[in-house]
Amino acid sequence: MPTEVALLESRALRVEQMGRVDALDKVKSLVMLPDGVHVRTEDVARYFEVSTEVVKKVTQRHRAEMEENGLTLLRGPDLRIFHRDMMSLWGGGEGGSYPQAATQLTLYTRRTVLNVAMLLRDSDIARCVRTYLLDAEQDLRAGYASLEHRVTRVESCLAGVGAALQELGPVLGRMSHRLDSLDRRLEVTQQVVGAMSVRLGSVSEDIGRLDGRMDELVRHLKDLSHRNRNR
């Protein structure tokens, strides 16, 4: 895990933390200009509770890095347009109270202010921001480690399942063979039952014919008995 000194000294480590602008408001509220995007040098100094000269020196030493993170210097027409927009956003009669720079204005975004927090040594607020970043990263790494451990456990369980499935394969094969044999036996049984049903149908017809003949024989015997009495 990186230390506070490493964060102060390594630009690569600072780049990794540039998306964590939420750390600023976690430590202290950062008051933005009316556009909600920019702050001035004096606003940055007020946030970190240092002088504007301290902020200017840090900015000068690391200007290229800060420009990559939103640092802007306005002059001439760009400055006039920005002032006009800010006064419009400030609204109504309060517009005249908006402070304006005479010839140039340095603007910082939240990313730039976070960049200053990772470079400013003599500020308790900056140290708190760095501590928050490092603690959050430690918690994140711990979460990743826990997740990795859980994934490893799942993988080991899956390995056991794979071995069990390999052992179960032959058993399933034998069961499948027995079920196929049972299916064939059921088919033969159905054929036998079908044949027996046909035979029983034929026997029923024979019994019906036999009943008819027995009835006819009974009638003949009755007729014969009647003729014998008449004689």
Side-chain angles (χ1 to χ4, degrees), residues 22-184:
D22 61 299
L24 298 172
D25 289 322
K26 295 292 184 181
V27 175
K28 181 181 178 182
S29 178
L30 177 62
V31 180
M32 310 298 292
L33 289 175
D35 65 352
V37 177
H38 298 96
V39 291
R40 302 158 300 162
T41 303
E42 50 266 42
D43 300 320
V44 178
R46 188 177 301 111
Y47 176 83
F48 289 112
E49 299 176 2
V50 296
S51 67
T52 56
E53 291 303 317
V54 171
V55 176
K56 288 178 180 178
K57 287 179 181 178
V58 172
T59 302
Q60 289 170 358
R61 286 198 299 267
H62 303 276
R63 192 171 194 88
E65 179 179 342
M66 291 192 182
E67 285 178 347
E68 291 181 3
N69 292 302
L71 183 72
T72 306
L73 180 63
L74 298 180
R75 294 190 181 95
D78 292 335
L79 180 58
R80 288 193 295 273
I81 292 172
F82 181 80
H83 281 321
R84 183 191 64 198
D85 293 342
M86 290 302 100
M87 292 179 68
S88 175
L89 290 171
W90 205 272
E94 296 181 357
S97 65
Y98 170 73
Q100 302 183 26
T103 58
Q104 65 181 30
L105 178 64
T106 301
L107 295 175
Y108 299 72
T109 64
R110 285 181 176 272
R111 286 176 64 91
T112 324
V113 177
L114 182 61
N115 204 160
V116 174
M118 290 187 282
L119 291 166
L120 191 59
R121 295 176 182 270
D122 299 325
S123 166
D124 291 337
I125 300 299
R127 278 192 289 271
C128 288
V129 173
R130 291 193 293 270
T131 299
Y132 179 86
L133 290 173
L134 295 172
D135 288 347
E137 181 172 352
Q138 183 177 11
D139 292 342
L140 185 62
R141 289 176 183 271
Y144 282 148
S146 175
L147 179 60
E148 183 178 2
H149 175 68
R150 289 160 63 187
V151 170
T152 301
R153 289 180 59 188
V154 171
E155 288 176 345
S156 62
C157 291
L158 289 176
V161 170
L165 289 175
Q166 288 179 350
E167 295 176 359
L168 189 59
V171 176
L172 292 175
R174 291 193 296 271
M175 290 179 64
S176 177
H177 177 72
R178 292 179 64 184
L179 288 173
D180 290 340
S181 176
L182 181 60
D183 284 341
R184 289 192 296 269

Side-chain angles (χ1 to χ4, degrees), residues 210-228:
L210 181 59
D211 285 341
R213 294 178 64 182
M214 290 295 292
D215 291 340
E216 185 178 358
L217 178 60
V218 169
R219 285 195 299 272
H220 285 311
L221 289 174
K222 285 181 178 180
D223 290 342
L224 181 60
S225 177
H226 180 69
R227 286 196 296 268
N228 287 334

